[in-house]
Amino acid sequence: MNSLPSFETTAATSAVPTAAVHPKITGRNVNVFYGEKHAIKDVNVDIPERSVMAFIGPSGCGKSTFLRCINRMNDTISICRVTGDIRIDDKDIYDRSLDVVQLRARVGMVFQKPNPFPKSIYENVAYGPRIHGLVKSKSELDEIVETALKKASLWNEVKDRLQESGTGLSGGQQQRLCIARAIAVSPEVILMDEPCSALDPIATAKIEELIDELKQNFTIVIVTHSMQQAARVSQRTAFFHLGILVEEGTTDQIFTNPVDTRTRDYITGRFG
Amino acid sequence: MFLTLFGLVLAVAVVCFFVGRSRAVAVSGANYSALHSLPSYHGWWLVLMAAGPAFAVLVFWSLVSPYLLRPMMLSQFAPQLTEFSAAQLDGFWRDIQAIAGGGTPGVRDAFREEAAAAYQSTNRLSLIAMVALMIVLGAVGFSYAWNAIAVHFRARHRVETAVKVFLAASATVAILTTVGIVMSLLFESLRFFTMVSPLDFLFGTTWTPQQMAFRTDQVGGTAAFGFIPLLTGTLLITFIAMMVAAPLGILAAIYLSDYASPKVRAVGKPVLELLAGIPTVVYGFFAALTVAPFIRNSGQSFGFDVSSESALAAGVVMGIMIVPFVSSLSDDVINAVPQSLRDGSAGLGATKSETIRRVVLPAALPGIVSALVLAVSRAMGETMIVVMAAGMAANLTINPLEAVTTITVQIGTLLTGDQEFDSPKTLAAFGLGLSLFVITLSLNLVALRVVNKYREQYD
Ligand SMILES: Nc1ncnc2c1ncn2[C@@H]1O[C@H](COP(=O)(O)OP(=O)(O)OP(=O)(O)O)[C@@H](O)[C@H]1O
Ligand SMILES: [Mg+2]
């Protein structure tokens, strides 16, 4: 591990991070290819435990792609190839012996586009606990569903219509339903891909509150296009550009004193 | 003659299009944006008004004139025709048409020659009248349309309306044809039910219409028209076929859409669909020569008494035949379930089969149900395999090892060979056809209800 306290980058390799006290997730020389397209280039990153890390960067720079590597969702894309080393709690998640289903139960995900199942609101949230056999009784399940919906600040809007279809909700409600669905299985890590892109400021504030609360127990990685949001919720921030992790550091440092000119240009809105 | 005139109308239409278009350009002073409608709409407008009526006259006259000419000719020669029976009158009419058209008549004599000459001159007159009418209408329409073309003329709206009318007319033709078929089915069935009581038909348990032929003097007699054995036979075979086709088809669809690699899918899907292209008669002899003996032999080795023709053989082979109906449609609907739903489920730690069982299949269920209904209709309508493998014996049984027969097979046997058109034996075919129609229709309605209910709940 590189011990220089520097965030300088070469063209293709991001510096090996140092700041994380106890990394939950570590990525080393991660490369991702979609067929011929090289979408992630030699990314090195440490994501500390029980904290929020934000990925920012212009559209198409590979934030979602990298996020999906962390719970191996890229496995479902046949042309996608991942090389390098990604570890959670020092275990290689691309190891052959690792059970990807278990991994995804530990590393939950909220997708960029809301994707509720065509089932009732209740069944959407109960889905995870059911398949993992987390509950023994109906009342226990009711409890989990209610807690998850409350945490996602959706409970008040849907408590009288739990049996109605989840796809009948508004876009923002659907996104909060997906958040509730993810936290209902109480994962250790939650990956959120622009969870607030369809939400109004009030719901956004509630989700940010939720993220703040969740970080007591969980490790959270969030992709966002809102600089303010990254600044508000995250402890560390990573800036991606064209598949390269340009700069990574504490959120304060990135937003007040970025080292790389590309980072400075991006956060001051000079390009995007 | 018709084709020549049709070609002429078409040529006039093409000319009208260009004339109308350039007229529109001219009135606008080559300033297109001043026109309310694009020049080509004015072209179409002129086509509609000039060639449209002429074309309508042509079609209508050609369809109707034979029906007017025939009574005219017959009444003109009525004195000589008094002895003729209805069939002879038909022959006479055919003969004079053949002579006039330069064909080979059945009989050629001086009287027929004379009649043919008269027919020819009347026909020519009628043709001249028709062409004159076409020209007049075309000219009137042309001059009206020509004068209407102006900068603010709303040709686009007129043309759009005409398109709408044309489409509605096409839909009406299709609907009326269907209604007509159903009506004829209904009326012939009603005639049948005046000869055989509907109660005997619906609840009778013996089906022996063939005995009719020996006892023409005595309607009813030992000929029995009980439809129950046919119904049970049909349902039994359809049930067996669906027991084969539903699981095989749905599982194959799941494999192809979610498990197979793109390469396997690229080969597997067309190969499966190839099954649908095999003629049913080939399935028929496969059933009769391979499957039926196999079932009989293996049945005998277990000590069962299996007839050489059995519902089981026909049903199993029919099931294989309709696998592609189920699999192909189900595969399409399963594929149409968005990948994001699969990702959502996988992201929660569901395995592939959990995802399919709990998310994909429920979302695809309405489509799968319609695939199954289509397959059932297909199975009920299938004739050839049953004839060859299940026999024609109208046994009332639900034992799949016995020979049975189905509604469609009996319709086939009732109408093959020489038949008198008003004997109950022949008309029974319409009764059977009507019952099959009612069964399939209600099946479709029920399935539609189920599908809609499910949609309301989940979509
Ligand atoms: N399934 C795929 N197949 C092929 N190329 C892909 C696929 N998914 C993403 N890419 C490509 O990989 C690159 C990174 O995409 P990614 O979705 O990670 O961007 P992003 O940073 O999340 O952008 P956004 O902010 O717009 O969501 C893009 O150039 C994209 O075209
Ligand atoms: Mg993205």
Side-chain angles (χ1 to χ4, degrees), chain B residues 144-179:
Chain B
Y144 171 70
W146 167 270
N147 287 322
I149 293 178
V151 173
H152 293 296
F153 179 61
R154 298 168 164 243
R156 182 157 41 91
H157 297 273
R158 305 293 177 94
V159 173
E160 289 299 335
T161 312
V163 167
K164 196 171 94 185
V165 170
F166 180 72
L167 294 180
S170 310
T172 313
V173 168
I175 292 169
L176 285 184
T177 316
T178 317
V179 170

mmCIF file of all heavy atoms in Angstrom, chain B residues 144-179:
data_model
loop_
_atom_site.group_PDB
_atom_site.id
_atom_site.type_symbol
_atom_site.label_atom_id
_atom_site.label_comp_id
_atom_site.label_asym_id
_atom_site.label_seq_id
_atom_site.Cartn_x
_atom_site.Cartn_y
_atom_site.Cartn_z
ATOM 1 N N TYR B 144 -65.266 19.295 -59.723
ATOM 2 C CA TYR B 144 -65.550 19.826 -58.391
ATOM 3 C C TYR B 144 -64.255 19.935 -57.587
ATOM 4 O O TYR B 144 -63.941 20.980 -57.006
ATOM 5 C CB TYR B 144 -66.541 18.920 -57.665
ATOM 6 C CG TYR B 144 -66.707 19.278 -56.215
ATOM 7 C CD1 TYR B 144 -67.363 20.454 -55.847
ATOM 8 C CD2 TYR B 144 -66.187 18.469 -55.209
ATOM 9 C CE1 TYR B 144 -67.493 20.809 -54.527
ATOM 10 C CE2 TYR B 144 -66.304 18.811 -53.886
ATOM 11 C CZ TYR B 144 -66.958 19.980 -53.549
ATOM 12 O OH TYR B 144 -67.078 20.328 -52.241
ATOM 13 N N ALA B 145 -63.480 18.833 -57.592
ATOM 14 C CA ALA B 145 -62.261 18.799 -56.782
ATOM 15 C C ALA B 145 -61.243 19.804 -57.296
ATOM 16 O O ALA B 145 -60.586 20.487 -56.524
ATOM 17 C CB ALA B 145 -61.676 17.392 -56.796
ATOM 18 N N TRP B 146 -61.151 19.904 -58.618
ATOM 19 C CA TRP B 146 -60.204 20.829 -59.237
ATOM 20 C C TRP B 146 -60.504 22.257 -58.792
ATOM 21 O O TRP B 146 -59.624 23.006 -58.409
ATOM 22 C CB TRP B 146 -60.307 20.668 -60.752
ATOM 23 C CG TRP B 146 -59.631 21.737 -61.551
ATOM 24 C CD1 TRP B 146 -60.168 22.904 -61.981
ATOM 25 C CD2 TRP B 146 -58.279 21.738 -62.003
ATOM 26 N NE1 TRP B 146 -59.264 23.629 -62.676
ATOM 27 C CE2 TRP B 146 -58.079 22.936 -62.709
ATOM 28 C CE3 TRP B 146 -57.214 20.837 -61.897
ATOM 29 C CZ2 TRP B 146 -56.874 23.271 -63.297
ATOM 30 C CZ3 TRP B 146 -56.017 21.171 -62.493
ATOM 31 C CH2 TRP B 146 -55.840 22.366 -63.177
ATOM 32 N N ASN B 147 -61.785 22.600 -58.813
ATOM 33 C CA ASN B 147 -62.144 23.960 -58.432
ATOM 34 C C ASN B 147 -61.980 24.201 -56.936
ATOM 35 O O ASN B 147 -61.803 25.336 -56.505
ATOM 36 C CB ASN B 147 -63.586 24.258 -58.842
ATOM 37 C CG ASN B 147 -63.682 24.438 -60.345
ATOM 38 O OD1 ASN B 147 -62.787 25.015 -60.964
ATOM 39 N ND2 ASN B 147 -64.737 23.898 -60.942
ATOM 40 N N ALA B 148 -62.063 23.124 -56.173
ATOM 41 C CA ALA B 148 -61.962 23.299 -54.718
ATOM 42 C C ALA B 148 -60.528 23.590 -54.283
ATOM 43 O O ALA B 148 -60.311 24.204 -53.247
ATOM 44 C CB ALA B 148 -62.475 22.058 -54.001
ATOM 45 N N ILE B 149 -59.568 23.145 -55.081
ATOM 46 C CA ILE B 149 -58.167 23.331 -54.673
ATOM 47 C C ILE B 149 -57.846 24.820 -54.589
ATOM 48 O O ILE B 149 -58.014 25.563 -55.555
ATOM 49 C CB ILE B 149 -57.206 22.642 -55.665
ATOM 50 C CG1 ILE B 149 -57.396 21.127 -55.588
ATOM 51 C CG2 ILE B 149 -55.754 23.001 -55.348
ATOM 52 C CD1 ILE B 149 -56.538 20.348 -56.549
ATOM 53 N N ALA B 150 -57.455 25.237 -53.400
ATOM 54 C CA ALA B 150 -57.133 26.645 -53.174
ATOM 55 C C ALA B 150 -56.134 26.703 -52.039
ATOM 56 O O ALA B 150 -55.881 25.697 -51.370
ATOM 57 C CB ALA B 150 -58.393 27.436 -52.819
ATOM 58 N N VAL B 151 -55.611 27.893 -51.817
ATOM 59 C CA VAL B 151 -54.581 28.021 -50.793
ATOM 60 C C VAL B 151 -55.097 27.561 -49.435
ATOM 61 O O VAL B 151 -54.424 26.843 -48.704
ATOM 62 C CB VAL B 151 -54.097 29.485 -50.716
ATOM 63 C CG1 VAL B 151 -53.154 29.663 -49.541
ATOM 64 C CG2 VAL B 151 -53.401 29.860 -52.008
ATOM 65 N N HIS B 152 -56.344 27.955 -49.094
ATOM 66 C CA HIS B 152 -56.844 27.630 -47.761
ATOM 67 C C HIS B 152 -57.657 26.351 -47.724
ATOM 68 O O HIS B 152 -58.233 26.009 -46.697
ATOM 69 C CB HIS B 152 -57.689 28.787 -47.229
ATOM 70 C CG HIS B 152 -56.852 30.001 -46.972
ATOM 71 N ND1 HIS B 152 -55.863 30.007 -46.024
ATOM 72 C CD2 HIS B 152 -56.827 31.219 -47.565
ATOM 73 C CE1 HIS B 152 -55.266 31.187 -46.036
ATOM 74 N NE2 HIS B 152 -55.823 31.945 -46.976
ATOM 75 N N PHE B 153 -57.739 25.662 -48.863
ATOM 76 C CA PHE B 153 -58.541 24.438 -48.880
ATOM 77 C C PHE B 153 -57.917 23.381 -47.965
ATOM 78 O O PHE B 153 -56.720 23.129 -48.010
ATOM 79 C CB PHE B 153 -58.629 23.907 -50.311
ATOM 80 C CG PHE B 153 -59.413 22.633 -50.401
ATOM 81 C CD1 PHE B 153 -60.753 22.610 -50.018
ATOM 82 C CD2 PHE B 153 -58.820 21.467 -50.823
ATOM 83 C CE1 PHE B 153 -61.463 21.439 -50.075
ATOM 84 C CE2 PHE B 153 -59.536 20.290 -50.884
ATOM 85 C CZ PHE B 153 -60.861 20.284 -50.504
ATOM 86 N N ARG B 154 -58.767 22.741 -47.119
ATOM 87 C CA ARG B 154 -58.242 21.813 -46.117
ATOM 88 C C ARG B 154 -58.196 20.394 -46.672
ATOM 89 O O ARG B 154 -58.899 19.499 -46.208
ATOM 90 C CB ARG B 154 -59.125 21.845 -44.871
ATOM 91 C CG ARG B 154 -59.126 23.213 -44.252
ATOM 92 C CD ARG B 154 -60.192 23.363 -43.206
ATOM 93 N NE ARG B 154 -59.872 24.552 -42.420
ATOM 94 C CZ ARG B 154 -59.590 24.501 -41.138
ATOM 95 N NH1 ARG B 154 -59.591 23.366 -40.481
ATOM 96 N NH2 ARG B 154 -59.305 25.609 -40.489
ATOM 97 N N ALA B 155 -57.341 20.200 -47.669
ATOM 98 C CA ALA B 155 -57.268 18.892 -48.316
ATOM 99 C C ALA B 155 -56.831 17.808 -47.338
ATOM 100 O O ALA B 155 -57.301 16.676 -47.382
ATOM 101 C CB ALA B 155 -56.286 18.956 -49.489
ATOM 102 N N ARG B 156 -55.954 18.188 -46.417
ATOM 103 C CA ARG B 156 -55.437 17.197 -45.474
ATOM 104 C C ARG B 156 -56.571 16.576 -44.663
ATOM 105 O O ARG B 156 -56.654 15.358 -44.507
ATOM 106 C CB ARG B 156 -54.417 17.867 -44.554
ATOM 107 C CG ARG B 156 -53.762 16.979 -43.563
ATOM 108 C CD ARG B 156 -52.419 17.553 -43.119
ATOM 109 N NE ARG B 156 -52.475 18.999 -42.923
ATOM 110 C CZ ARG B 156 -52.776 19.577 -41.764
ATOM 111 N NH1 ARG B 156 -53.051 18.849 -40.724
ATOM 112 N NH2 ARG B 156 -52.785 20.889 -41.661
ATOM 113 N N HIS B 157 -57.498 17.428 -44.201
ATOM 114 C CA HIS B 157 -58.608 16.900 -43.398
ATOM 115 C C HIS B 157 -59.484 15.977 -44.217
ATOM 116 O O HIS B 157 -59.918 14.924 -43.736
ATOM 117 C CB HIS B 157 -59.440 18.055 -42.846
ATOM 118 C CG HIS B 157 -58.677 18.937 -41.915
ATOM 119 N ND1 HIS B 157 -58.573 18.672 -40.572
ATOM 120 C CD2 HIS B 157 -57.960 20.051 -42.139
ATOM 121 C CE1 HIS B 157 -57.812 19.602 -40.013
ATOM 122 N NE2 HIS B 157 -57.421 20.456 -40.936
ATOM 123 N N ARG B 158 -59.750 16.382 -45.486
ATOM 124 C CA ARG B 158 -60.596 15.539 -46.338
ATOM 125 C C ARG B 158 -59.942 14.176 -46.530
ATOM 126 O O ARG B 158 -60.584 13.138 -46.422
ATOM 127 C CB ARG B 158 -60.810 16.202 -47.703
ATOM 128 C CG ARG B 158 -61.368 17.603 -47.642
ATOM 129 C CD ARG B 158 -62.800 17.581 -47.108
ATOM 130 N NE ARG B 158 -63.330 18.932 -46.981
ATOM 131 C CZ ARG B 158 -64.048 19.540 -47.918
ATOM 132 N NH1 ARG B 158 -64.345 18.903 -49.024
ATOM 133 N NH2 ARG B 158 -64.489 20.759 -47.734
ATOM 134 N N VAL B 159 -58.634 14.206 -46.832
ATOM 135 C CA VAL B 159 -57.945 12.939 -47.100
ATOM 136 C C VAL B 159 -57.916 12.080 -45.841
ATOM 137 O O VAL B 159 -58.170 10.869 -45.891
ATOM 138 C CB VAL B 159 -56.517 13.200 -47.630
ATOM 139 C CG1 VAL B 159 -55.749 11.903 -47.751
ATOM 140 C CG2 VAL B 159 -56.586 13.891 -48.979
ATOM 141 N N GLU B 160 -57.655 12.716 -44.699
ATOM 142 C CA GLU B 160 -57.632 11.939 -43.445
ATOM 143 C C GLU B 160 -58.989 11.295 -43.190
ATOM 144 O O GLU B 160 -59.084 10.145 -42.760
ATOM 145 C CB GLU B 160 -57.246 12.828 -42.260
ATOM 146 C CG GLU B 160 -55.790 13.262 -42.241
ATOM 147 C CD GLU B 160 -54.820 12.093 -42.165
ATOM 148 O OE1 GLU B 160 -55.197 11.024 -41.663
ATOM 149 O OE2 GLU B 160 -53.676 12.252 -42.636
ATOM 150 N N THR B 161 -60.053 12.055 -43.442
ATOM 151 C CA THR B 161 -61.393 11.486 -43.259
ATOM 152 C C THR B 161 -61.590 10.287 -44.177
ATOM 153 O O THR B 161 -62.114 9.244 -43.761
ATOM 154 C CB THR B 161 -62.458 12.555 -43.565
ATOM 155 O OG1 THR B 161 -62.110 13.741 -42.880
ATOM 156 C CG2 THR B 161 -63.826 12.081 -43.135
ATOM 157 N N ALA B 162 -61.149 10.438 -45.438
ATOM 158 C CA ALA B 162 -61.311 9.338 -46.381
ATOM 159 C C ALA B 162 -60.547 8.107 -45.905
ATOM 160 O O ALA B 162 -61.050 6.978 -45.977
ATOM 161 C CB ALA B 162 -60.817 9.766 -47.763
ATOM 162 N N VAL B 163 -59.337 8.338 -45.382
ATOM 163 C CA VAL B 163 -58.552 7.210 -44.871
ATOM 164 C C VAL B 163 -59.308 6.521 -43.746
ATOM 165 O O VAL B 163 -59.419 5.288 -43.694
ATOM 166 C CB VAL B 163 -57.171 7.707 -44.376
ATOM 167 C CG1 VAL B 163 -56.477 6.629 -43.567
ATOM 168 C CG2 VAL B 163 -56.316 8.125 -45.553
ATOM 169 N N LYS B 164 -59.880 7.342 -42.871
ATOM 170 C CA LYS B 164 -60.614 6.773 -41.728
ATOM 171 C C LYS B 164 -61.781 5.925 -42.225
ATOM 172 O O LYS B 164 -61.995 4.804 -41.766
ATOM 173 C CB LYS B 164 -61.111 7.911 -40.836
ATOM 174 C CG LYS B 164 -61.522 7.454 -39.457
ATOM 175 C CD LYS B 164 -61.790 8.635 -38.552
ATOM 176 C CE LYS B 164 -63.248 8.996 -38.566
ATOM 177 N NZ LYS B 164 -63.544 10.217 -37.803
ATOM 178 N N VAL B 165 -62.534 6.486 -43.188
ATOM 179 C CA VAL B 165 -63.683 5.749 -43.721
ATOM 180 C C VAL B 165 -63.235 4.436 -44.337
ATOM 181 O O VAL B 165 -63.833 3.381 -44.111
ATOM 182 C CB VAL B 165 -64.420 6.620 -44.760
ATOM 183 C CG1 VAL B 165 -65.453 5.789 -45.510
ATOM 184 C CG2 VAL B 165 -65.082 7.803 -44.077
ATOM 185 N N PHE B 166 -62.129 4.493 -45.089
ATOM 186 C CA PHE B 166 -61.640 3.296 -45.750
ATOM 187 C C PHE B 166 -61.260 2.226 -44.723
ATOM 188 O O PHE B 166 -61.625 1.056 -44.846
ATOM 189 C CB PHE B 166 -60.423 3.667 -46.605
ATOM 190 C CG PHE B 166 -59.838 2.504 -47.343
ATOM 191 C CD1 PHE B 166 -60.502 1.949 -48.422
ATOM 192 C CD2 PHE B 166 -58.630 1.951 -46.944
ATOM 193 C CE1 PHE B 166 -59.961 0.868 -49.094
ATOM 194 C CE2 PHE B 166 -58.101 0.874 -47.612
ATOM 195 C CZ PHE B 166 -58.769 0.338 -48.688
ATOM 196 N N LEU B 167 -60.556 2.659 -43.663
ATOM 197 C CA LEU B 167 -60.150 1.694 -42.630
ATOM 198 C C LEU B 167 -61.362 1.108 -41.935
ATOM 199 O O LEU B 167 -61.455 -0.100 -41.701
ATOM 200 C CB LEU B 167 -59.238 2.373 -41.610
ATOM 201 C CG LEU B 167 -57.887 2.820 -42.148
ATOM 202 C CD1 LEU B 167 -57.076 3.488 -41.056
ATOM 203 C CD2 LEU B 167 -57.118 1.634 -42.694
ATOM 204 N N ALA B 168 -62.334 1.987 -41.630
ATOM 205 C CA ALA B 168 -63.539 1.504 -40.961
ATOM 206 C C ALA B 168 -64.254 0.495 -41.850
ATOM 207 O O ALA B 168 -64.763 -0.533 -41.376
ATOM 208 C CB ALA B 168 -64.460 2.680 -40.633
ATOM 209 N N ALA B 169 -64.266 0.763 -43.163
ATOM 210 C CA ALA B 169 -64.938 -0.162 -44.069
ATOM 211 C C ALA B 169 -64.246 -1.521 -44.060
ATOM 212 O O ALA B 169 -64.899 -2.566 -44.026
ATOM 213 C CB ALA B 169 -64.939 0.419 -45.479
ATOM 214 N N SER B 170 -62.910 -1.512 -44.046
ATOM 215 C CA SER B 170 -62.190 -2.791 -44.018
ATOM 216 C C SER B 170 -62.526 -3.565 -42.750
ATOM 217 O O SER B 170 -62.811 -4.764 -42.791
ATOM 218 C CB SER B 170 -60.681 -2.553 -44.066
ATOM 219 O OG SER B 170 -60.369 -1.688 -45.111
ATOM 220 N N ALA B 171 -62.522 -2.837 -41.618
ATOM 221 C CA ALA B 171 -62.844 -3.513 -40.362
ATOM 222 C C ALA B 171 -64.257 -4.066 -40.411
ATOM 223 O O ALA B 171 -64.527 -5.182 -39.955
ATOM 224 C CB ALA B 171 -62.694 -2.532 -39.205
ATOM 225 N N THR B 172 -65.170 -3.293 -41.015
ATOM 226 C CA THR B 172 -66.558 -3.741 -41.089
ATOM 227 C C THR B 172 -66.670 -5.023 -41.900
ATOM 228 O O THR B 172 -67.397 -5.946 -41.515
ATOM 229 C CB THR B 172 -67.420 -2.643 -41.735
ATOM 230 O OG1 THR B 172 -67.108 -1.408 -41.118
ATOM 231 C CG2 THR B 172 -68.888 -2.949 -41.569
ATOM 232 N N VAL B 173 -65.946 -5.075 -43.021
ATOM 233 C CA VAL B 173 -65.991 -6.290 -43.842
ATOM 234 C C VAL B 173 -65.562 -7.497 -43.009
ATOM 235 O O VAL B 173 -66.239 -8.534 -42.984
ATOM 236 C CB VAL B 173 -65.085 -6.143 -45.084
ATOM 237 C CG1 VAL B 173 -64.909 -7.484 -45.770
ATOM 238 C CG2 VAL B 173 -65.680 -5.132 -46.046
ATOM 239 N N ALA B 174 -64.449 -7.328 -42.276
ATOM 240 C CA ALA B 174 -63.959 -8.450 -41.479
ATOM 241 C C ALA B 174 -64.990 -8.867 -40.437
ATOM 242 O O ALA B 174 -65.284 -10.056 -40.262
ATOM 243 C CB ALA B 174 -62.648 -8.054 -40.800
ATOM 244 N N ILE B 175 -65.580 -7.860 -39.780
ATOM 245 C CA ILE B 175 -66.541 -8.185 -38.715
ATOM 246 C C ILE B 175 -67.781 -8.830 -39.305
ATOM 247 O O ILE B 175 -68.288 -9.837 -38.799
ATOM 248 C CB ILE B 175 -66.885 -6.914 -37.926
ATOM 249 C CG1 ILE B 175 -65.658 -6.452 -37.142
ATOM 250 C CG2 ILE B 175 -68.059 -7.160 -36.993
ATOM 251 C CD1 ILE B 175 -65.809 -5.092 -36.539
ATOM 252 N N LEU B 176 -68.259 -8.256 -40.427
ATOM 253 C CA LEU B 176 -69.482 -8.799 -41.021
ATOM 254 C C LEU B 176 -69.276 -10.238 -41.479
ATOM 255 O O LEU B 176 -70.175 -11.066 -41.359
ATOM 256 C CB LEU B 176 -69.922 -7.930 -42.196
ATOM 257 C CG LEU B 176 -70.569 -6.608 -41.792
ATOM 258 C CD1 LEU B 176 -71.049 -5.861 -43.026
ATOM 259 C CD2 LEU B 176 -71.732 -6.847 -40.834
ATOM 260 N N THR B 177 -68.086 -10.544 -42.002
ATOM 261 C CA THR B 177 -67.817 -11.921 -42.414
ATOM 262 C C THR B 177 -67.954 -12.856 -41.223
ATOM 263 O O THR B 177 -68.606 -13.899 -41.303
ATOM 264 C CB THR B 177 -66.393 -12.033 -42.990
ATOM 265 O OG1 THR B 177 -66.180 -10.932 -43.839
ATOM 266 C CG2 THR B 177 -66.223 -13.323 -43.731
ATOM 267 N N THR B 178 -67.335 -12.453 -40.123
ATOM 268 C CA THR B 178 -67.426 -13.279 -38.927
ATOM 269 C C THR B 178 -68.875 -13.447 -38.500
ATOM 270 O O THR B 178 -69.343 -14.558 -38.221
ATOM 271 C CB THR B 178 -66.626 -12.634 -37.779
ATOM 272 O OG1 THR B 178 -65.404 -12.165 -38.304
ATOM 273 C CG2 THR B 178 -66.397 -13.614 -36.667
ATOM 274 N N VAL B 179 -69.584 -12.313 -38.468
ATOM 275 C CA VAL B 179 -70.989 -12.382 -38.063
ATOM 276 C C VAL B 179 -71.748 -13.314 -38.994
ATOM 277 O O VAL B 179 -72.554 -14.142 -38.561
ATOM 278 C CB VAL B 179 -71.613 -10.967 -38.060
ATOM 279 C CG1 VAL B 179 -73.117 -11.048 -37.874
ATOM 280 C CG2 VAL B 179 -70.993 -10.128 -36.959
#
